[in-house]
Amino acid sequence: MSENNQPSAELKALERLVGTWAVTGGAEGTVRYEWMPGRFFLLQHVELSQFGQPVTGLEVIGNLRPFGEPVGADVVSRFYDSVGNTFDYVYELNGDKLTIWAGAKGSPAYYEGTFSADDATVTGEWVYPGGGGYESSMTRI
């Protein structure tokens, strides 16, 4: 292990998410992003309601670094919820456009949102294959 390991530029770019956000659209509630000490992992605390059901959980976002292997290129995450589900995602931020791929990068299910110039809002929608996606926006609180 090298002493000068640094978080990836792609992960550092997600600094824009740090803080607490009000979520509106197909799911309603709040999410809070914070860095884990060391800043190699971004944690998202989720308290939402979707389709009348509570969605409470924790997402850990970062680059994979398996023992003895090089750091993975993609910023990936796993979400754990209060009813035992785990969901995997890939985060990609290009300019002001945030894409969260469900499963693998390039998946037909994804979120695409755009940061406002002042980083106070992210406006977008979840897209699902065959329809059934929904608008979802966040406002910093």
Side-chain angles (χ1 to χ4, degrees), residues 59 75-79 87-91 100-104 126:
E59 184 176 22
V75 175
V76 300
S77 75
R78 177 161 284 168
F79 175 75
F87 300 111
D88 294 333
Y89 298 95
V90 177
Y91 277 68
I100 304 171
W101 303 98
W126 280 98

Side-chain angles (χ1 to χ4, degrees), residues 31-83:
V31 296
R32 179 173 52 88
Y33 290 89
E34 66 177 346
W35 289 111
M36 214 173 108
R39 298 172 76 92
F40 284 94
F41 298 98
L42 186 62
L43 306 178
Q44 181 186 197
H45 303 270
V46 174
E47 292 185 29
L48 299 172
S49 176
Q50 185 175 29
F51 310 122
Q53 299 297 315
V55 179
T56 303
L58 173 68
E59 184 176 22
V60 180
I61 304 161
N63 296 88
L64 293 180
R65 188 182 296 202
F67 183 74
E69 295 181 30
V71 175
D74 291 336
V75 175
V76 300
S77 75
R78 177 161 284 168
F79 175 75
Y80 304 87
D81 75 15
S82 58
V83 294

